[in-house]
Amino acid sequence: MPLARTYSVALIGVNGQVVEVEADITNGLVGMILVGLPDTALREARDRIRAAIANSGEDWPQRKITVGLSPASLPKRGGGQGAKGSSGRSDVFRRTRP
């Protein structure tokens, strides 16, 4: 089961909190799921992630993609985690190729 992990930062006021971003590709209903209290801007990151993967020369997998942001209790805002999600998925894509 391919899994990639990277890190981002969530800003709370002027303080930064490390956010772990995990991307996993498994068999199942084709789609992308963001978990870990993502806000609306992060939900819209799906389009940015898809564009980043396409522009990197990778193919979008026809499998279930799960992106987890932790700690789950910490609200995440903005597009930084979305960009990190695409880099994590690129690593997963490379691991799943024969």
Side-chain angles (χ1 to χ4, degrees), residues 57 65 74:
I65 302 167
L74 179 69

Side-chain angles (χ1 to χ4, degrees), residues 4-91:
R5 184 174 295 134
T6 189
Y7 297 92
S8 185
V9 174
L11 293 177
I12 302 171
V14 295
N15 298 317
Q17 173 71 39
V18 174
V19 176
E20 184 177 47
V21 181
E22 291 183 343
D24 185 36
I25 300 177
T26 60
N27 292 329
L29 186 60
V30 175
M32 187 170 118
I33 301 168
L34 290 169
V35 295
L37 288 179
D39 76 349
T40 304
L42 287 176
R43 292 180 203 277
E44 293 168 356
R46 294 173 199 205
D47 294 331
R48 291 191 304 274
I49 292 169
R50 184 178 292 266
I53 296 301
N55 290 326
S56 70
E58 300 288 341
D59 294 325
W60 190 262
Q62 295 303 308
R63 298 169 71 189
K64 180 181 175 183
I65 302 167
T66 304
V67 177
L69 306 172
S70 62
S73 61
L74 179 69
K76 289 78 169 181
R77 295 180 181 87
Q81 285 85 16
K84 290 291 187 178
S86 66
S87 67
R89 273 197 297 286
S90 289
D91 189 43

